[in-house]
């Protein structure tokens, strides 16, 4: 990466099919979380540029929707090819911009190409249905209903920093395949990765104007985008507070929100500790816990707690800590305020007599993996999402108590249950308030064709390829009244 400012790139926004500098004349410096230096600048677009981009999207969308599924699919397949062709460069950008390990960044790019290709195939094989009137009492055989799907118009796709390519494409690909126009607002810290991804889409031949990439701080341009009358659907992934704000502002349009989480690992006394420890360590600490589906609390039966904590301690103390360039598991967090936030949760827990088993060390925005035992319900870390490498252990006497604590959380994204008794696992799974329950595995979104959803403060609506195609289109019923 360039070391001095004059060599740094000022990236353009993609507006109405053209790469342009904003008329605002303002740019935003993007600072690498681990290099701790500016790696480039992105445009701060204006409201007028948003208006023009949305107008262009509505105009281009009509012709885009008129193309056949195969023609739209061909563009997206070329997009996937371009991503793979530029895997190294795009993954390198992801690593520099959000501090994700090189291997995980490459995996993210490949996973995204796979997601795009799967989306094309899924769309090609989604068929409508027909109904005969006499299926209902008194209905006539001469009434034939034909149900098809149509695009919604222009979709606003807003993505978070931690998967700047995959979580953006998981919105853009289905939106485009369903025949929509798209306004893409990447996380500011993730904008350069988003730009690289859209450069690939532009190269793949997406017709001009169908999609625009509007960079700019959500706190400045976000409200204007969300409230814009030209937006027909919003697909948002990010924090719960932002999602709540957004859901109050948008009016009468479909909304899919994928928000925060506080995923529990419920560990029964009969759990296979090898499986349990591996899943918890990987689930809680990969990418420094900066995953919405990270395991963010362990609720363990007291009969096995000492053995589990001892095993977790050993693993935590051996986690690799350092630079994403060495594929360390624990890397600097996205920025200093995030690290301050995590440290405050650790300090609060220790002040309230949690037991420090490992960690509680910090260097700038690098928080060492921290394991806290004997966490109680009066501690913030029992309830608040850290989005960092801190894992609280809560001890309970029964499954009932474990489920009670799990469900007291405002969140309901995923949960893991560890037991060797499948009937017990299913009984607990049915009681846990979450979008997804993993049995004897870590909490995770993938594979991307699975439904992915959060309940309560973790979201609204469902992602996952098939569900995203449905949420970004609507039914159209044509009724033939035969003679
Ligand atoms: P965030 O701060 O909520 O930002 C998410 C996106 O919203 C960013 O593009 C942000 O832009 C934009 N934004 C901010 N204010 C806005 C506003 N008023 N109107 C419209 N957009 C606005 O979340 P993050 O820090 O990027 O990601 C971490 C959070 O996202 C965590 O809570 C994590 O659990 C959650 N997350 C959830 C999932 C899931 O699938 N459930 C996946 C990943 C992350 P700026 O970057 O410019 O502020
Ligand atoms: O936080 C991003 C969320 O989508 C996690 O994805 O695949 O790491 O569980 P994954």
């Amino acid at each position: 990466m360039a070391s001095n400012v004059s060599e740094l790139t000022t990236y353009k926004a993609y507006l109405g099919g053209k790469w342009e500098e904003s008329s605002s004349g303002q740019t935003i410096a993007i600072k690498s979380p681990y290099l701790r230096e500016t790696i480039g600048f992105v445009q701060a677009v204006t409201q007028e540029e948003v208006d023009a981009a949305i107008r262009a999207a509505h105009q281009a969308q009509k012709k885009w929707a008129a193309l056949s599924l195969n023609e739209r699919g061909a563009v997206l397949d070329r997009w996937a090819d371009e991503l793979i062709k530029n895997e190294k460069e795009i993954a390198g950008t992801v690593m520099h911009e959000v501090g994700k390990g090189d291997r995980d960044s490459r995996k993210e790019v490949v996973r995204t190409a796979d997601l795009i290709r799967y989306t094309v195939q899924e769309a090609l094989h989604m068929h409508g249905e027909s109904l005969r009137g006499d299926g209902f009492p008194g209905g006539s055989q001469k009434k034939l209903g034909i149900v098809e799907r149509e695009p919604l118009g222009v979709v606003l796709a807003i993505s978070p920093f931690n998967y700047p390519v995959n979580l953006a494409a998981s919105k853009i690909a289905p939106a485009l395949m369903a025949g929509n126009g798209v306004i893409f607002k990447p996380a500011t810290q993730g904008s350069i990765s988003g730009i690289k991804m859209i450069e690939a889409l532009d190269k793949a031949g997406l017709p001009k104007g169908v999609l625009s990439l509007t960079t700019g701080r959500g706190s400045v341009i976000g409200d204007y985008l969300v409230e814009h009358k030209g937006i027909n659907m919003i697909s948002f992934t990010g924090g719960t507070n932002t999602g709540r704000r957004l859901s109050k502002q948008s009016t009468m349009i479909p909304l899919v929100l994928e928000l925060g989480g506080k995923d529990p690992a419920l560990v029964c006394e009969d759990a296979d500790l090898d499986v349990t420890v591996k899943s918890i360590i990987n689930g809680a600490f990969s990418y420094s816990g900066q995953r919405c589906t990270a395991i963010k609390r362990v609720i363990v039966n007291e009969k096995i707690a000492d053995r589990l904590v001892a095993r977790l301690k050993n693993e935590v103390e051996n986690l690799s800590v350092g630079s994403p360039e060495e594929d360390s598991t624990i890397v600097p967090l996205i920025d200093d305020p995030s690290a301050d936030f995590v440290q405050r949760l650790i300090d609060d827990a220790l002040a309230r007599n949690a037991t420090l088993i490992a960690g509680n060390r910090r260097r700038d925005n690098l928080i060492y993996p921290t394991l806290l035992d004997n966490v109680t319900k009066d501690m913030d870390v029992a309830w608040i999402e850290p989005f960092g490498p801190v894992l609280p252990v809560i001890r309970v006497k029964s499954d009932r108590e474990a489920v009670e604590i799990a469900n007291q959380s405002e969140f309901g994204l995923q949960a893991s249950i560890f037991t060797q008794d499948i009937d017990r696992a299913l009984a607990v799974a049915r009681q846990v308030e979450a979008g997804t329950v993993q049995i004897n595995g870590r909490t995770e979104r993938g594979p991307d064709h699975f439904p992915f959803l959060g309940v309560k403060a973790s979201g609204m609506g469902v992602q996952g390829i098939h569900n995203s195609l449905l949420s970004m289109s609507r039914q159209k019923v044509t009724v033939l009244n035969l003679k």
Side-chain angles (χ1 to χ4, degrees), residues 111 162-163 167 290-293 442-446 452:
R111 174 180 180 180
N162 63 335
Y163 276 83
L167 278 173
Q290 297 179 108
R291 294 169 50 242
C292 61
T293 49
R442 76 172 202 167
T443 45
E444 59 186 357
R445 167 173 53 115
F452 180 67

Side-chain angles (χ1 to χ4, degrees), residues 158-162 167 185-189 216-219 222-223 226 236-240 242 245-246 249 258-261 291-292 296 385 387 413 445 452 458:
I158 303 178
S159 55
F161 79 81
N162 63 335
L167 278 173
K185 159 55 194 134
T188 294
Q189 197 80 26
R217 290 205 186 285
S219 54
D223 289 359
V226 164
F236 173 84
T237 298
T240 292
T242 313
R245 177 191 177 90
L246 197 147
Q249 285 160 295
E258 299 286 358
L259 305 177
R291 294 169 50 242
C292 61
K296 296 172 185 154
E385 177 184 51
F387 229 58
L413 192 57
R445 167 173 53 115
F452 180 67
S458 290

Side-chain angles (χ1 to χ4, degrees), residues 288-401:
S288 284
Q290 297 179 108
R291 294 169 50 242
C292 61
T293 49
I295 289 178
K296 296 172 185 154
R297 49 187 173 146
V298 173
I299 304 175
V300 58
N301 187 298
E302 59 184 15
K303 295 190 190 82
I304 197 174
D306 288 345
R307 287 167 53 210
L308 176 67
V309 169
R311 291 279 300 269
L312 291 176
K313 175 181 192 299
N314 182 46
E315 296 293 329
V316 168
E317 288 172 343
N318 286 294
L319 283 170
S320 53
V321 177
S323 165
E325 293 181 4
E326 286 105 46
D327 282 312
S328 301
T329 304
I330 305 299
V331 292
L333 297 186
I334 194 66
D335 55 29
D336 291 342
S338 299
D340 295 342
F341 182 75
V342 173
Q343 189 62 55
R344 277 199 299 276
L345 290 175
I346 295 169
D347 295 345
D348 169 76
L350 297 177
R352 296 170 187 271
N353 298 321
T355 309
L356 177 65
I357 301 296
N360 191 27
R361 282 178 59 200
R362 176 180 177 176
R363 195 174 67 237
D364 298 327
N365 56 324
L366 176 71
I367 299 271
Y368 280 72
T370 299
L371 181 61
L372 299 169
D373 192 3
N374 300 307
V375 168
T376 50
K377 298 203 283 191
D378 62 317
M379 300 173 191
D380 289 344
V381 75
W383 308 109
I384 290 174
E385 177 184 51
F387 229 58
V390 54
L391 184 63
V393 176
I394 301 168
R395 296 176 177 228
V396 295
K397 298 182 185 320
S398 66
D399 291 0
R400 186 190 54 72
E401 191 184 354

Side-chain angles (χ1 to χ4, degrees), residues 12 19 73 99 102 105-106 111 149 178 227 294 348 407 417 446:
K12 296 178 177 174
W19 293 98
D102 179 50
S105 299
R106 283 174 176 267
R111 174 180 180 180
R149 298 200 74 82
E227 294 165 351
D348 169 76
N407 290 342
I417 298 167

